[in-house]
């Protein structure tokens, strides 16, 4: 082999090695960022600097396992029929507690004349909780509205969901005036009367129903107010360059206090107050989260959402939403946009914050403060 041929062979080998190295570099740059990258110290200096300037740390926010908090009487339209709290309480009592000893009353909001039609059920004599539970209708809905029965405890005088082993001096039935499916209508009111009357007959009570026209008109007025003051905010965080893996997103979110939600691809920032809905939700592609190897799944965007009417004003949810979005964008090299992909400026966010303050004032003026049991039921 001549010197020329040897030289050309060497040059060809070097070129081939260069192509292979370049392809490997391109592949590594296009792969989603993973937890292993950070755990192995592979993060860039810029990423490490971003980590040091996060506005929240796990010490700043309450981190505990979040349990989903649903409105007691107002669940999602079209969702499966929820288990009735009274039936659950009765079943628990019959298995683990002597019914005669009773159990602590349910910690749940009761019927409220502000958002419910309430019909007193006059009793000739006291009735047992067991008899009330046995007479309850099979479903706790009237059309698209939640239906409930309460008893006035002989022992405490308080209204509560019926419980085994208790005795009640009075009963009342109610149906919610409005929710996100609309206002209570004539047909639903009539169905309420039929259902409540059948229950009353079973326990020997005499119902006193309010005027249908007045209640339906009240339902329409409440629904009109709710329609004009319902707010659900969402930010989209989009990757500027390199995509993210689900684990990479979860790691950054966890450092801000988020915990895994009930569904794949969902994390929540739980409230520090027991019984309250989560402050924020973070959602990404559920299929990516359930992939056989999630670390190889590439996410180009994630969504932050705030259910405004479900979170108390005192939690400053919008301010925290802005801070979380900014922290994630800085740490993961993302940009904050609206649903249409338009970047959100600081001025735009300031205007949104001002509008929310007006919304909170309007809700307060109707005794429907954001995060209250009544607001969570109405806006459901």
């Amino acid at each position: 082999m001549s010197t020329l041929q040897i030289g050309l062979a060497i040059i060809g080998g070097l070129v081939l090695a260069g192509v292979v190295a370049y392809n490997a570099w391109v592949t590594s740059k296009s792969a989603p960022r993973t937890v292993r990258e950070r755990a192995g110290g592979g993060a860039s200096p810029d990423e490490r600097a971003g980590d040091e300037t996060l506005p929240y740390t796990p010490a700043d926010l309450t981190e505990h396992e979040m349990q989903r908090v649903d409105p007691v009487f107002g669940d999602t339209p079209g969702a499966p029929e929820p288990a009735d709290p009274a039936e659950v309480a009765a079943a628990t009592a019959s298995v683990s507690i002597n019914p005669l000893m009773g159990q602590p009353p349910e910690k749940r909001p009761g019927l409220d004349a502000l958002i419910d039609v309430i019909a007193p059920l006059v009793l000739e004599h006291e009735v047992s909780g067991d008899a009330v539970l046995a007479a309850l209708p099979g479903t706790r809905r009237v059309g698209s509205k939640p239906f409930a029965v309460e008893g006035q405890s002989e022992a405490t005088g308080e209204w509560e969901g019926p419980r085994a082993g208790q005795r009640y001096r009075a009963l009342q039935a109610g149906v919610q005036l409005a929710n996100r499916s609309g206002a209570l209508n004539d047909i639903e009111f009539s169905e309420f009367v039929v259902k409540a009357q059948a229950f009353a007959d079973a326990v020997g009570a005499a119902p006193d129903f309010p005027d249908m026209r007045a209640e339906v008109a009240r339902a329409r007025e409440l629904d009109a107010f709710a329609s004009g003051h319902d707010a659900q905010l969402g930010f989209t965080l989009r990757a500027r360059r390199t995509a993210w893996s689900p684990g990479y997103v979860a790691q950054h979110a966890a450092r801000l206090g988020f915990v895994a939600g009930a569904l794949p691809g969902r994390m929540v920032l739980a409230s520090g107050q027991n019984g309250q809905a989560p402050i924020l939700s973070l959602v990404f592609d559920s299929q990516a989260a359930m992939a056989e190897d999630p670390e190889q799944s590439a996410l180009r965007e994630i969504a932050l959402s705030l259910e405004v009417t479900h979170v108390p004003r005192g939690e400053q949810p919008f301010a925290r939403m802005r801070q979380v979005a900014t922290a994630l964008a800085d740490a993961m090299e993302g940009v904050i946009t609206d649903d249409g992909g338009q970047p959100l400026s600081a001025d735009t966010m300031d205007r949104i914050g001002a509008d929310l303050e007006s919304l909170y004032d309007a809700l307060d003026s109707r005794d429907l403060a954001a995060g209250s049991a009544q607001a969570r039921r109405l806006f459901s």
Side-chain angles (χ1 to χ4, degrees):
M1 183 179 292
S2 66
T3 303
L4 176 60
Q5 289 174 320
I6 293 173
L8 290 174
I10 293 174
I11 293 173
L14 291 174
V15 170
L16 179 61
V19 170
V20 172
Y22 175 77
N23 287 337
W25 178 79
V26 169
T27 301
S28 65
K29 293 297 288 183
S30 61
R33 292 180 176 176
T34 67
V35 175
R36 299 187 189 92
E37 173 186 334
R38 292 183 49 79
S44 68
D46 289 340
E47 287 177 315
R48 289 191 291 271
D51 292 341
E52 295 170 358
T53 58
L54 295 176
Y56 293 130
T57 66
D60 297 324
L61 296 171
T62 301
E63 264 190 80
H64 60 273
E65 192 66 28
M66 193 285 301
Q67 296 182 348
R68 181 179 175 184
V69 181
D70 287 326
V72 173
F73 299 124
D75 48 4
T76 303
E81 180 78 10
D84 183 70
E87 292 179 332
V88 175
T92 303
S94 64
V95 172
S96 60
I97 300 176
N98 184 340
L100 297 179
M101 295 174 60
Q103 55 185 327
E106 294 174 345
K107 300 298 182 182
R108 67 173 181 83
L111 292 169
D112 190 317
L114 182 66
I115 59 173
D116 294 305
V117 176
I118 300 178
L121 307 176
V122 182
L123 292 167
E124 293 184 0
H125 49 75
E126 292 176 354
V127 65
S128 70
D130 302 80
V132 173
L133 290 171
L136 287 174
T139 62
R140 304 294 188 275
R141 300 195 72 79
V142 170
S144 62
K145 310 299 184 297
F147 168 88
V149 170
E150 292 182 334
Q152 188 175 33
S153 172
E154 177 189 27
T156 66
E158 299 293 327
W159 290 99
E160 64 182 25
R163 298 183 293 128
Q166 301 299 301
R167 299 197 66 81
Y168 298 106
R169 64 179 69 168
L171 299 172
Q172 60 184 14
V175 61
Q176 195 164 311
L177 285 165
N179 56 17
R180 281 179 174 157
S181 65
L184 184 78
N185 57 41
D186 292 0
I187 295 176
E188 289 174 325
F189 187 94
S190 298
E191 185 180 340
F192 164 65
V193 169
V194 170
K195 183 168 288 192
Q197 182 68 64
F199 169 79
D201 292 343
V203 296
D208 181 12
F209 295 108
D211 179 71
M212 182 180 73
R213 292 301 176 193
E215 293 302 300
V216 169
R218 195 161 67 97
R220 289 172 179 166
E221 191 276 332
L222 181 61
D223 179 61
F225 172 83
S227 299
H229 296 84
D230 198 356
Q232 297 166 290
L233 293 180
F235 289 167
T236 299
L237 190 64
R238 303 180 189 275
R240 290 182 182 273
R241 290 183 288 274
T242 307
W244 312 307
S245 71
Y248 186 78
V249 171
Q251 184 180 58
H252 278 286
R255 296 185 68 249
L256 297 173
F258 283 82
V259 296
L263 300 175
R266 184 173 186 265
M267 301 184 72
V268 295
L269 182 61
S271 171
Q273 303 178 30
N274 291 334
Q276 286 290 350
I279 298 173
L280 300 174
S281 296
L282 183 153
V283 180
F284 52 87
D285 185 4
S286 60
Q287 292 185 349
M290 294 186 296
E292 185 174 344
D293 185 1
E295 291 301 281
Q296 296 305 311
S297 300
L299 300 173
R300 300 298 307 180
E301 64 180 43
I302 59 177
L304 274 174
S305 62
L306 165 61
E307 189 86 5
V308 176
T309 54
H310 286 213
V311 183
R313 187 181 201 171
E315 295 275 12
Q316 298 184 313
F318 183 66
R320 296 173 76 171
M321 186 179 185
R322 288 184 64 173
Q323 290 174 317
V324 165
T326 300
L328 290 174
D330 290 344
M332 302 195 305
E333 295 188 32
V335 58
I336 305 169
T337 74
D338 60 18
D339 292 341
Q342 295 300 312
L344 293 173
S345 66
D347 288 342
T348 299
M349 292 190 185
D350 288 341
R351 288 195 296 271
I352 294 173
D355 290 341
L356 286 181
E357 289 302 315
S358 298
L359 173 63
Y360 288 133
D361 290 340
L363 292 172
D364 291 344
S365 70
R366 288 289 298 256
D367 294 327
L368 291 167
S372 66
Q374 295 88 343
R376 288 166 52 201
R377 288 172 55 200
L378 178 61
F379 297 100
S380 64

